Amino acid sequence: SSGWRGPGVEDRGPGSPEGRANERSLVVRLTTPHGRIIIPGDIEERGTRALLDGGADLRAEILVLPHHGKLQALHRELLEAVRPRIVLVSAPDGYASREVLDHARSIADVYQTGLGGWIEVGLAPGGFHIRRGNDGRARASLAPDLPQ
């Protein structure tokens, strides 16, 4: 565990204390009054196994797919543990695994940056608001017209 804490922030620790840098990615679950999002960084097999075996509650309405949606043997277990309604994939078209994407689409709405550009998620009473764009500008925060 990195010891990083804050209101609504749960440190799920590095996926794995050993292995490549990706495996040691910080994993956090953010909790708001309107929903939860889990961001597992760039963890791969070892980090995902450590996360799943850690015993923490991983349920969240939104999951950012780890390692840009590349195929790993544990993707089904992770999706089952999180049970997301929305899955975000930061990857160009053709980079994420078709198998992983198809499985994610069978249980959640999937948004991929490589297919529609940037993605903004607003959490508000009654649900989520998704905005997408492909105007070449990176988005660092929610647009002013989205509930904050």
Side-chain angles (χ1 to χ4, degrees):
S1 175
S2 70
W4 186 61
R5 302 252 189 281
V9 177
E10 300 167 73
D11 178 354
R12 297 299 182 205
S16 173
E18 301 172 353
R20 298 172 1 133
N22 285 357
E23 301 290 17
R24 296 187 309 270
S25 292
L26 179 66
V27 178
V28 296
R29 185 173 74 170
L30 306 172
T31 301
T32 77
H34 312 298
R36 297 163 297 197
I37 180 169
I38 189 160
I39 306 169
D42 212 17
I43 60 173
E44 298 177 46
E45 294 284 337
R46 187 179 289 179
T48 302
R49 174 50 56 210
L51 182 63
L52 291 167
D53 289 349
D57 179 8
L58 300 177
R59 289 175 295 165
E61 288 75 21
I62 301 173
L63 168 67
V64 178
L65 273 183
H67 203 54
H68 311 282
K70 288 187 123 182
L71 183 62
Q72 58 170 292
L74 301 172
H75 78 269
R76 289 179 184 272
E77 285 182 60
L78 180 62
L79 286 164
E80 183 178 313
V82 176
R83 294 181 282 194
R85 292 176 35 211
I86 297 171
V87 172
L88 306 177
V89 187
S90 176
D93 189 26
Y95 189 81
S97 160
R98 182 65 41 212
E99 179 181 335
V100 172
L101 293 174
D102 287 346
H103 182 71
R105 285 186 187 108
S106 75
I107 63 170
D109 293 327
V110 176
Y111 297 89
Q112 184 176 348
T113 58
L115 297 176
W118 50 262
I119 302 165
E120 292 178 342
V121 179
L123 302 171
F128 304 97
H129 304 277
I130 305 291
R131 274 183 39 141
R132 309 186 57 142
N134 200 2
D135 58 11
R137 294 180 289 151
R139 297 292 186 159
S141 62
L142 292 179
D145 58 337
L146 286 178
Q148 306 229 4

